[in-house]
Amino acid sequence: MRYYIADCHFYHKALLEHMDRRGFDSVETMNEYMIEQWNKKVRKNDEVVILGDLSWGNLAQTQQILDQLQGHLFMIRGNHDYFLDDKQFDRSQFGWIETYKELKDNKRKVVLCHYPIACYNGQYRKSEDGQAKTYMLHGHIHNTQDQPILDAYQDYVHRQWHDAIGGGKEHIPCQIINCFCMYSDYQPMTLDEWIEIDKKRRQSTKINDTI
């Protein structure tokens, strides 16, 4: 099984009261909870793609976290993953470390980057039954004001038309999913699970906007 998650920010104390307002009493409590949630979901032979900003800690602190996380880990570098620059860091702990990656996931394509990409490779591809065949998975924006802006952009793109490959007109696909750890209660999720989480989040946001 392959899972995805973004922006865990282990050891990032500022996120307890600012920006995310995670509400834990300490980074130690936060770290313990995130490790527990991770290992409830991920088994030894599962794959986990980390979409950046895994840890705010130094090399020793981050290594302590990595030693406790189950699964085969793969890393999309985020802007706060400073531990990767330490010359003592053992990169072999990850299957790969990239800033951008494209993979196949159950006959679908996933475009992976820490930052959301508006016009991503394969965006227009659809299956014969009209389902999207490519998804852009990212992190970085957490649950900030950038999230509703990105949602509004996708809604706008979905309303636009283009010439379909087989003839006629069709709406433009746009499947950009923020795999922010707090959206999944700090658990890595499969592509299908993230699709459902994103759908429910957007529906909830629209309902709240009408209240």
Side-chain angles (χ1 to χ4, degrees), residues 98-109:
E98 304 283 354
T99 56
Y100 176 93
K101 191 82 169 178
E102 296 181 5
L103 299 175
K104 291 290 186 181
D105 191 314
N106 291 328
K107 299 182 179 179
R108 294 161 297 185
K109 180 177 183 176

Side-chain angles (χ1 to χ4, degrees), residues 5 7-38 40 142 180-187:
I5 194 168
D7 297 298
C8 292
H9 284 262
F10 285 99
Y11 283 103
H12 201 162
K13 184 177 181 180
L15 295 185
L16 302 183
E17 298 180 359
H18 304 285
M19 191 174 173
D20 291 351
R21 301 184 185 278
R22 298 191 179 187
F24 296 98
D25 294 333
S26 65
V27 289
E28 290 77 17
T29 302
M30 178 182 73
N31 290 348
E32 289 174 5
Y33 183 76
M34 290 197 294
I35 292 169
E36 179 183 1
Q37 287 294 91
W38 181 298
K40 279 183 181 178
H142 294 229
F180 179 39
C181 62
M182 289 184 71
Y183 288 159
S184 63
D185 195 14
Y186 305 98
Q187 287 192 323

Side-chain angles (χ1 to χ4, degrees), residues 90-187:
D90 180 10
R91 286 175 168 257
S92 68
Q93 296 175 89
F94 293 95
W96 45 256
I97 301 173
E98 304 283 354
T99 56
Y100 176 93
K101 191 82 169 178
E102 296 181 5
L103 299 175
K104 291 290 186 181
D105 191 314
N106 291 328
K107 299 182 179 179
R108 294 161 297 185
K109 180 177 183 176
V110 286
V111 175
L112 307 170
C113 186
H114 181 57
Y115 312 98
I117 299 174
C119 300
Y120 53 92
N121 187 27
Q123 177 178 345
Y124 287 76
R125 296 177 184 174
K126 287 185 175 182
S127 62
E128 293 182 357
D129 59 357
Q131 298 299 311
K133 291 186 68 175
T134 307
Y135 292 83
M136 197 282 122
L137 306 184
H138 69 92
H140 187 58
I141 64 174
H142 294 229
N143 189 21
T144 63
Q145 68 274 11
D146 292 328
Q147 183 69 78
I149 292 171
L150 186 57
D151 290 343
Y153 167 77
Q154 290 192 79
D155 289 340
Y156 173 80
V157 173
H158 282 304
R159 294 194 299 270
Q160 308 312 304
W161 297 87
H162 77 107
D163 294 324
I165 295 176
K169 297 282 187 178
E170 65 179 6
H171 287 292
I172 298 176
C174 191
Q175 312 296 334
I176 304 173
I177 299 178
N178 181 8
C179 298
F180 179 39
C181 62
M182 289 184 71
Y183 288 159
S184 63
D185 195 14
Y186 305 98
Q187 287 192 323

Side-chain angles (χ1 to χ4, degrees), residues 191-206:
L191 174 58
D192 287 311
E193 288 172 331
W194 276 116
I195 292 171
E196 189 63 24
I197 289 170
D198 188 66
K199 179 181 177 181
K200 290 181 178 178
R201 178 191 63 79
R202 289 166 63 86
Q203 288 174 341
S204 175
T205 299
K206 290 179 180 178

